[in-house]
Amino acid sequence: MTYIKTKRLLFRDYNHSDVECLKEIMQERDTMQYFPSVFSNSEVEALVKEMSGSIRDRGFGLFSLEKKSTKEMIGIAGIRIKQYDECLHLDEIEHLFPAVELFIVLDKKHWNQGLATEAANAILKFVRKKTDIKEVYAFVSKKNLPALNVIDKIGMEKFYEYIDPYFIEGHRKAPSLIFKKEI
């Protein structure tokens, strides 16, 4: 089933071939460079299972992102529920959790085409029209300039700064930001 359509993208349920495609995307080092590590096969499989369940049960989640012109799965995009994680040491803002997180991973072959911004705008429109969610957050490394550019374009505001403990201590990508967008 398709949940969101844009000029160039379809946001849809997962199918069998998506799992293998997503493994390739989420195990590619450049694509995952702002994550503490690439995803293992079992982590990708668990993510797809979790997100399929979220879409089925809630009507939203991280959708399979398909490029209309090629019918190719090019990543995942949507919102997900982020629970409080004691390891993040975000005690000052613990009251915000569970938080709704904007989340996009795009195959590097499709970077620099405006697709992430198109996807983010579509997700926010979907949230506004199809849910009663009032605010969306993004958790981003300060070094992730492409994501910061998208966040700026969609009008999210800096909300909080922290050190992501899932990176090795002192790692240059550990300083992170949380952005917020009221819907």
Side-chain angles (χ1 to χ4, degrees), residues 134-153:
K134 302 296 181 212
E135 51 199 23
V136 175
Y137 296 86
F139 297 74
V140 183
S141 167
K142 287 174 92 173
K143 296 287 184 183
N144 189 344
L145 298 181
L148 294 173
N149 188 35
V150 171
I151 284 168
D152 183 54
K153 287 179 182 178

Side-chain angles (χ1 to χ4, degrees), residues 84 89-97 159-161:
Y84 181 73
H89 306 291
L90 299 175
D91 299 341
E92 291 177 30
I93 59 170
E94 181 179 357
H95 64 282
L96 295 177
F97 295 90
F159 177 75
Y160 195 80
E161 194 166 329

Side-chain angles (χ1 to χ4, degrees), residues 116-183:
T117 302
E118 185 174 328
N121 279 319
I123 293 161
L124 293 176
K125 184 177 179 182
F126 174 85
V127 170
R128 198 170 19 262
K129 290 185 172 191
K130 302 286 186 182
T131 75
D132 60 357
I133 295 167
K134 302 296 181 212
E135 51 199 23
V136 175
Y137 296 86
F139 297 74
V140 183
S141 167
K142 287 174 92 173
K143 296 287 184 183
N144 189 344
L145 298 181
L148 294 173
N149 188 35
V150 171
I151 284 168
D152 183 54
K153 287 179 182 178
I154 65 172
M156 294 189 88
E157 295 183 15
K158 182 179 167 186
F159 177 75
Y160 195 80
E161 194 166 329
Y162 69 104
I163 302 296
D164 189 330
Y166 289 104
F167 286 96
I168 296 169
E169 189 173 335
H171 194 287
R172 67 183 184 84
K173 295 177 185 170
S176 299
L177 300 166
I178 301 173
F179 291 86
K180 179 180 176 179
K181 173 90 176 173
E182 293 191 18
I183 305 296

Side-chain angles (χ1 to χ4, degrees), residues 44-122:
V44 172
E45 292 163 3
L47 178 67
V48 170
K49 185 177 180 180
E50 177 188 341
M51 289 304 99
S52 293
S54 178
I55 293 166
R56 182 187 61 248
D57 297 344
R58 293 185 174 117
F60 66 81
L62 299 181
F63 300 103
S64 180
L65 191 58
E66 180 179 302
K67 193 170 184 184
K68 278 184 180 178
S69 63
T70 62
K71 305 281 188 227
E72 172 186 11
M73 191 242 200
I74 64 167
I76 57 176
I79 54 173
R80 66 181 185 170
I81 306 300
K82 188 171 185 79
Q83 298 295 335
Y84 181 73
D85 181 345
E86 290 179 2
C87 294
L88 292 179
H89 306 291
L90 299 175
D91 299 341
E92 291 177 30
I93 59 170
E94 181 179 357
H95 64 282
L96 295 177
F97 295 90
V100 177
E101 178 185 19
L102 175 67
F103 191 89
I104 300 170
V105 175
L106 197 61
D107 186 333
K108 76 175 191 172
K109 295 182 290 190
H110 301 282
W111 291 355
N112 300 312
Q113 299 172 33
L115 294 171
T117 302
E118 185 174 328
N121 279 319

